[in-house]
Amino acid sequence: TPTTTSELGAKGAGEAGTAGAPAAVMNAINDALKPFNARVTAQPCTPERVLAWLARFFRVLSAPFVRYEVRGGRCATELKVGVIAANHRSMFDVVAGLVCLHRFGHYPRLLIERRYVERGLLGHLSRGIGAIPVDRHSDAGQALAAAWTALGEGIPILVMPEGSLHWDPEDPLSTGRPHTGVSRLATRAG
């Protein structure tokens, strides 16, 4: 419908059908969190909020098996942005890092192998937390560019310098061939 009251010169059409979608998503999230006596009361559902919820969830879920002991870190609350490089011996390393960083109010973007970001439930979760997909076989520079952009916006980056999980029966303590991405991120970040 033409109008002179909007910059577009037209009245809206069809918005009523989309008005309920955000509420439906938030209700679905709250239904999923109900067994944990948790409730989401703030919108929008940003990657930082999702990471905070996941950190709390994983801390409770892992409590019977893991004791988190964070030493030091007095300056961590003052740091606003940075590159966090963590060892990568198992998938639990990401969970442990998330739980420990939550203590300081840091919710970094994770660099994750592209196949995990594109498939299944883990893919949905990875995209929900704003993960940066890494593809070492075609264009690794694209992931670095996305990480540099995030750093420039004040968002910390979490990277596992070893890349993929590695197991060498001849050298079980080896973490595999190191990659240079973490060095390039840190150097450019200053």
Side-chain angles (χ1 to χ4, degrees):
T1 306
T3 184
T4 58
T5 59
S6 75
E7 290 182 32
L8 182 61
K11 292 181 183 176
E15 288 88 354
T18 63
V25 170
M26 294 307 286
N27 283 336
I29 291 170
N30 280 326
D31 285 348
L33 293 173
K34 194 179 286 187
F36 306 102
N37 199 24
R39 184 166 171 76
V40 178
T41 58
Q43 287 187 16
C45 224
T46 63
E48 290 76 18
R49 285 190 177 141
V50 174
L51 285 167
W53 299 327
L54 287 172
R56 290 186 208 108
F57 171 75
F58 285 129
R59 182 172 183 109
V60 170
L61 187 66
S62 62
F65 312 104
V66 178
R67 184 182 82 210
Y68 296 96
E69 186 174 315
V70 180
R71 297 180 186 191
R74 282 187 306 230
C75 67
T77 55
E78 299 167 15
L79 297 174
K80 300 299 179 213
V81 67
V83 177
I84 303 148
N87 196 4
H88 192 24
R89 301 296 294 176
S90 74
M91 292 301 280
F92 187 73
D93 297 330
V94 176
V95 171
L98 182 60
V99 169
C100 293
L101 290 168
H102 172 67
R103 175 180 175 167
F104 302 111
H106 292 297
Y107 305 102
R109 295 294 191 273
L110 284 70
L111 274 76
I112 299 178
E113 192 173 345
R114 180 173 298 282
R115 67 183 168 131
Y116 295 120
V117 176
E118 292 179 344
R119 291 192 230 155
L121 182 60
L122 190 56
H124 290 293
L125 180 62
S126 297
R127 290 186 300 276
I129 63 171
I132 299 171
V134 177
D135 188 350
R136 296 189 194 285
H137 303 292
S138 63
D139 189 12
Q142 191 174 16
L144 284 174
W148 286 324
T149 299
L151 287 167
E153 294 171 355
I155 300 168
I157 298 295
L158 175 61
V159 61
M160 308 291 183
E162 300 87 22
S164 301
L165 291 175
H166 172 82
W167 172 250
D168 181 357
E170 300 295 320
D171 187 6
L173 298 178
S174 168
T175 57
R177 186 177 67 82
H179 300 280
T180 61
V182 68
S183 301
R184 291 187 281 169
L185 279 173
T187 302
R188 179 144 176 197

